[in-house]
Amino acid sequence: MIKVCIADNYPVVHFGVKSYFKDNADISIAANVGNFLMVRDILQTKDIDVLVLDLELEGLSSIFEVKALLKSFPKTKIIIYSGLSEQIYAPNAIKAGVSGFVHKSEKLETLGISIIKVYQGKIIMNETVKKNLALIAKQSKSERLYRKLSNREVEVLRYLSGGKKNHEIAEILNLNEKTISTYKLRLLTKLNVTNLVDLVDKAKKLEIV
């Protein structure tokens, strides 16, 4: 039996997923948590095979925290289960070490299949994401600079688009405010815009927000 922990902000998601898998012969929902601080506690006290994690989970501010979690609990596989754009967030999540990305628009049957596959050691992503990752791997460092946003740049852009100020983002990500300003400048350059309004507009078009 594959023991699964669901980490999501919304009770309706916990109820729906648990109800769907209650009679499943292969998958058992062993834990439900509503914020990121509880995730580490659960992984320390229970043998969880697969963590199903929403990137927008309360208390989770960075993909680097997910990377650290994987390092601390290497036996636990992580599936990102999110409503965020798969094309934007899946490549960075896979590079951080997660085993799969399932969009919340997918059927729960797809989530179930993904849980079984990652438990077996497979990596789950759609064909478009695979092609994007393959393309990025072939690019030189200078090409990536303009064609691909880093994990941290995506995070900063997401917070900027949400109306956060530089000092607020610095506090959330535990970085220097000057560092946030540098990321903002890089984003303006990479996305070929000159002001915050256009930057936010570009972020919306890229489905980062």
Side-chain angles (χ1 to χ4, degrees):
M1 186 71 77
I2 305 169
K3 294 181 285 297
V4 176
C5 173
I6 306 296
D8 197 280
N9 291 331
Y10 300 105
V12 66
V13 173
H14 291 289
F15 177 78
V17 173
K18 194 165 187 175
S19 296
Y20 181 83
F21 290 109
K22 67 177 181 179
D23 298 319
N24 193 286
D26 300 309
I27 297 169
S28 171
I29 307 301
N32 291 272
V33 297
N35 64 67
F36 192 67
L37 290 175
M38 294 172 65
V39 171
R40 189 171 286 271
D41 291 338
I42 287 293
L43 296 184
Q44 286 174 336
T45 56
K46 292 189 176 185
D47 292 324
I48 299 296
D49 298 308
V50 179
L51 171 65
V52 177
L53 174 70
D54 190 345
L55 283 177
E56 297 183 286
L57 181 68
E58 183 180 343
L60 175 59
S61 61
S62 168
I63 192 68
F64 294 94
E65 291 178 308
V66 178
K67 193 172 183 177
L69 199 67
L70 284 161
K71 188 174 181 180
S72 298
F73 303 96
K75 292 183 179 179
T76 300
K77 308 290 186 182
I78 295 181
I79 291 176
I80 299 300
Y81 186 52
S82 177
L84 294 171
S85 169
E86 189 170 4
Q87 308 311 319
I88 296 295
Y89 289 92
N92 285 336
I94 297 296
K95 286 196 297 179
V98 308
S99 297
F101 191 110
V102 177
H103 197 272
K104 282 187 173 179
S105 61
E106 296 282 354
K107 295 179 180 178
L108 286 174
E109 179 185 4
T110 300
L111 179 60
I113 293 169
S114 299
I115 289 170
I116 292 170
K117 285 185 176 180
V118 302
Y119 177 72
Q120 294 170 341
K122 297 174 183 176
I123 304 295
I124 304 300
M125 66 184 106
N126 69 28
E127 288 303 316
T128 304
V129 173
K130 285 182 184 178
K131 289 176 183 177
N132 286 348
L133 283 171
L135 180 63
I136 292 163
K138 292 178 181 177
Q139 293 173 346
S140 68
K141 194 171 183 179
S142 61
E143 286 176 318
R144 292 183 198 185
L145 182 63
Y146 295 100
R147 297 187 185 183
K148 180 65 183 173
L149 300 181
S150 69
N151 290 339
R152 190 65 86 189
E153 286 162 352
V154 169
E155 289 168 353
V156 171
L157 180 54
R158 182 176 160 199
Y159 286 120
L160 285 171
S161 300
K164 300 288 185 184
K165 304 297 183 185
N166 286 13
H167 70 90
E168 293 175 308
I169 300 171
E171 187 174 343
I172 292 169
L173 297 179
N174 196 27
L175 295 172
N176 188 285
E177 187 175 345
K178 194 174 286 186
T179 302
I180 301 302
S181 296
T182 300
Y183 280 122
K184 185 176 176 180
L185 183 60
R186 286 183 192 173
L187 287 164
L188 290 167
T189 302
K190 287 187 179 185
L191 298 180
N192 196 30
V193 292
T194 58
N195 57 72
L196 182 59
V197 173
D198 288 343
L199 188 64
V200 171
D201 185 58
K202 184 66 72 75
K204 290 177 180 177
K205 289 177 180 176
L206 290 172
E207 296 182 20
I208 288 175
V209 292

